[in-house]
Amino acid sequence: MLEVEKDLYNGLIVNTTTIDESSDSFKNSLTLLLIKAKADNKNLIWLDLTTNQNQHIAIALELGFEFHNCEPKRVMLTYQVKEDAYIPVPPTHTIGVGAVVINKKNELLMVRDRIHQNDSIYKLPGGMVEHADSLNDGVEREVWEETGIKAKLIKMVSVLNSYPHKFNKSNMYIVFQLEALTTEINIIDTHEIEEAIWMPLKEFFLHEEMSRFQKTLVYTALEHKGITPLSNDINFSSKKFIEFYG
């Protein structure tokens, strides 16, 4: 018998520890759950399965479940008990960060990818935020990996939201200004980054092979106040961390 708990949307979440290894037993239990959910006027059912339960996934799809979101070794499926039931949308965005890092000589830190994909000869250091990463840790890590420069976040400069991006998702590109704590370049991620340099700001803005987009990002960092990290003394017990900017 499958055990469930209630969610916030008049739905049911299947307790994964009560899923039987037997495919036949699982199918019978899931069929009974669907009947009961309809009788109890529930909205939806959540079912979390692993890639080792591939036969169970096939059975769930056969019974009318649909894919909601997935990770390398697990997949979440949903069953819409009511036709008009609200199902929270799956993750919609990937998040990238960029860094405007300026040293005491008024030089800007720039990198060149080994696989050159834009119309600017150099670009700001940055990359994708990893799972469960804070924005602060993500942008400081990317600067370190791509240039070997230790840097400290000062402020959030701009946010670019675009669609479509990779995997048919939207992408949010968040640019920060950071203070350089070191100056000696030593590329850590040599597989991705071909070159990293300090370029005088005046030369950067006059450079014909620097894109208007890159120049706009740097200009915004220099001319606008932006928003800064705020201290957080609010307790969210279920969260690993909370970041406030304002």
Side-chain angles (χ1 to χ4, degrees), residues 99-100 108-111 122-126 173 175 214 217-218:
V100 176
L108 177 68
L109 188 61
M110 304 291 289
V111 300
Y122 293 102
K123 69 178 187 68
L124 299 177
Y173 178 56
V175 180
Q214 298 290 321
L217 293 176
V218 177

Side-chain angles (χ1 to χ4, degrees), residues 178-210:
L178 289 79
E179 175 189 0
L181 303 179
T182 61
T183 58
E184 184 177 350
I185 290 175
N186 178 29
I187 300 171
I188 308 301
D189 187 1
T190 55
H191 293 288
E192 179 181 347
I193 302 301
E194 181 179 55
E195 185 181 4
I197 63 169
W198 288 108
M199 178 178 289
L201 275 172
K202 184 176 180 180
E203 179 184 339
F204 166 77
F205 283 113
L206 293 175
H207 206 301
E208 294 183 356
E209 293 185 275
M210 292 297 176

Side-chain angles (χ1 to χ4, degrees), residues 30-202:
L30 194 57
T31 301
L32 290 174
L33 178 61
L34 295 180
I35 295 171
K36 183 170 178 18
K38 291 174 183 177
D40 292 343
N41 207 30
K42 294 299 179 182
N43 286 341
L44 67 154
I45 300 173
W46 299 90
L47 179 62
D48 196 357
L49 297 171
T50 70
T51 50
N52 291 330
Q53 297 170 307
N54 53 81
Q55 292 182 332
H56 291 48
I57 294 172
I59 290 168
L61 293 173
E62 179 187 336
L63 293 176
F65 279 77
E66 296 181 345
F67 291 118
H68 185 270
N69 67 83
C70 69
E71 294 175 2
K73 294 186 178 181
R74 55 156 295 279
V75 62
M76 176 68 75
L77 301 100
T78 57
Y79 183 90
Q80 197 171 23
V81 181
K82 294 181 182 177
E83 288 187 6
D84 60 347
Y86 171 71
I87 299 179
V89 297
T92 59
H93 282 70
T94 56
I95 299 178
V97 289
V100 176
V101 185
I102 300 172
N103 64 20
K104 293 180 180 179
K105 296 180 180 179
N106 223 24
E107 295 171 324
L108 177 68
L109 188 61
M110 304 291 289
V111 300
R112 188 213 298 269
D113 290 333
R114 289 196 178 278
I115 301 176
H116 199 57
Q117 295 180 329
N118 56 59
D119 57 356
S120 189
I121 188 172
Y122 293 102
K123 69 178 187 68
L124 299 177
M128 302 304 293
V129 176
E130 296 179 1
H131 178 67
D133 239 354
S134 69
L135 296 173
N136 189 113
D137 290 345
V139 70
E140 291 181 0
R141 183 196 65 248
E142 287 295 331
V143 171
W144 163 251
E145 289 179 353
E146 295 190 353
T147 69
I149 298 295
K150 296 268 190 184
K152 180 180 179 182
L153 189 148
I154 299 174
K155 64 183 180 181
M156 185 184 293
V157 172
S158 58
V159 178
L160 174 71
N161 186 46
S162 62
Y163 175 86
H165 195 64
K166 295 177 180 177
F167 319 118
N168 199 35
K169 301 294 183 182
S170 298
N171 176 256
M172 192 169 290
Y173 178 56
I174 307 175
V175 180
F176 297 86
Q177 184 172 355
L178 289 79
E179 175 189 0
L181 303 179
T182 61
T183 58
E184 184 177 350
I185 290 175
N186 178 29
I187 300 171
I188 308 301
D189 187 1
T190 55
H191 293 288
E192 179 181 347
I193 302 301
E194 181 179 55
E195 185 181 4
I197 63 169
W198 288 108
M199 178 178 289
L201 275 172
K202 184 176 180 180

